[in-house]
Every structure is written in structure tokens, then in C-alpha cells.
Amino acid sequence: MTTRTLVAKPAAAPMPDRAELSPARRRLFETALALMSRDGYHGVSVRDIVRELGQHPTAIYAHVGSKQELIFELVRIAHEELRDRVRAAVLSAGSDPVDQLRAVVTSNVLTHLTYPELARVSHSEHGQLTDEQRAVIDVHRSDLGRLLRDVVHRGVAQGTFSPDDVEIKVVAIVTMGVRIVDLWTADMGVDVQHIAAVHADLAVRMLRS
């Protein structure tokens, strides 16, 4: 029997290509992201970031007002990228709730694994946000949850999914991508597409039971 070797395909860049990121702003954010992913928010100072950039300490303030604003921008970008990718995946999945569910889960897992540092920092440093900033992020999280619930409720209405414990299952599915970035590494020899497909299968079986 031949064993198929699956090769991981991480992102070429640590952050998505979003319109608001100029080259200088992207370099700042990617540098801060790498340091915070390694040392945590409180383990990284503004001086650490600008030293890594080879710039004067005041250079950072051309892009953000503080380190706290910087972490908010990283968390915001992570959540907006996830929301946009999942929404696009569902829109292209057709009208079958099973296909839509697979699209949600696959996109969720792939986005986390495509940008693992961004996902890890976004989740671990969410507590550093102010109440006002957290409210902005909570809107994005609610959008993702609402999108998944709409898919699930359509499936329940059509008799495709079981009506039992729907909310518990929805919460479990939403959080599927969160821990995967702490468990998966590129040297595991397992392709991210395969990991996403396994999670999608789990979600379908969960909602059919």
C-alpha cells in the first residue's frame, strides 16, 4: 500500500493583502506581529519594534498612536479577513446547506492556517483591547456566528441537519479554527487542505447526528 505524503502550504506572507496596508504600514505590522507571536504583547515594547525595523522610535507614530492601537489593528485585520473569506466561500457554495457548511468550516480553518501568527496573536491578545475596541471585534465575531447559524437553520428546516443541540454545535464549529494554529506546524507533513476537509467532515457529521 502506498502512503500519500501531503505537503503543507503556508502563506507566502504573514498577513493578508488588504487595501489599507501600505508597504511601510505592512512592514510595521508584520514586524510587530512576529515579535508578539514570539514574546506576547507585554513582552514587546515600541522600542523593540522600531529596533527591529531599524527606525527611530517616533517612526511608529506615523501609522498608529500607540502599541495598544497596533494590537487592535492586528486583531481587526484578522477578524475582517476571516469574515470576508467565509462570506465569499458561502456565496460561492451554492444553495445546499451541506455544501455551505463545508464552505464555512473549510474557509475558517484555512484562514487560520494560512496566517497562523496573525490568528494566534488575534486570539491570545484579544484581552488587551479596550471595551470600545472589543465591541468592534465582537461585531465581526457576531457576523461569522450569524452566517453559520443561517446555514444550519436552513439545513434543519430542510431536514438535512438534526434540530438537537443546534446552538452547542454551532459554537463548537465556530471555534474549530482557534486551537488548530497551536496544534499544527508545517513540518507535520499534513496539507492544510486535508486538515480543513477533515474538520468540514466532522461538522457535517455533528449536525446530522
Side-chain angles (χ1 to χ4, degrees):
M1 178 178 178
T2 302
T3 302
R4 182 167 60 121
T5 301
L6 298 168
V7 181
K9 298 176 182 177
M15 292 186 62
D17 184 18
R18 299 193 69 86
E20 70 267 28
L21 290 178
S22 66
R25 190 174 174 87
R26 170 180 287 279
R27 184 165 176 252
L28 166 63
F29 283 14
E30 290 183 350
T31 299
L33 176 62
L35 293 174
M36 290 182 187
S37 178
R38 186 189 67 193
D39 300 328
Y41 176 80
H42 290 296
V44 177
S45 67
V46 170
R47 287 188 178 276
D48 293 330
I49 297 170
V50 295
R51 185 184 303 115
E52 191 73 17
L53 288 167
Q55 297 178 355
H56 190 274
T58 58
I60 191 174
Y61 300 114
H63 303 284
V64 292
S66 65
K67 188 182 78 166
Q68 202 281 328
E69 183 180 335
L70 177 55
I71 190 63
F72 168 65
E73 288 298 312
L74 291 174
V75 174
R76 180 187 62 79
I77 289 170
H79 281 80
E80 288 185 358
E81 183 70 13
L82 178 61
R83 178 203 61 195
D84 293 349
R85 284 177 174 240
V86 170
R87 182 180 293 162
V90 172
L91 289 174
S92 64
S95 59
D96 184 351
V98 173
D99 291 339
Q100 292 178 342
L101 176 63
R102 289 186 182 279
V104 170
V105 175
T106 298
S107 183
N108 182 25
V109 172
L110 285 180
T111 303
H112 279 79
L113 291 181
T114 301
Y115 305 106
E117 283 189 340
L118 184 62
R120 191 177 300 113
V121 168
S122 171
H123 291 299
S124 65
E125 305 299 351
H126 182 263
Q128 307 305 328
L129 305 183
T130 65
D131 289 343
E132 183 178 353
Q133 292 169 342
R134 196 174 294 114
V136 173
I137 302 305
D138 287 347
V139 170
H140 298 324
R141 291 185 169 186
S142 295
D143 287 346
L144 181 60
R146 187 180 307 111
L147 192 154
L148 175 58
R149 285 180 179 88
D150 287 346
V151 170
V152 172
H153 288 310
R154 279 196 295 274
V156 170
Q158 294 178 16
T160 303
F161 299 144
S162 167
D164 297 335
D165 301 318
V166 166
E167 188 59 27
I168 295 173
K169 294 172 183 177
V170 165
V171 172
I173 292 168
V174 167
T175 58
M176 276 184 169
V178 176
R179 288 303 309 279
I180 194 67
V181 294
D182 295 322
L183 302 174
W184 175 87
T185 57
D187 59 4
M188 289 174 63
V190 181
D191 182 66
V192 293
Q193 295 284 348
H194 178 67
I195 296 172
V198 170
H199 280 76
D201 287 343
L202 286 171
V204 171
R205 290 203 297 270
M206 189 187 305
L207 283 165
R208 281 178 166 167
S209 64

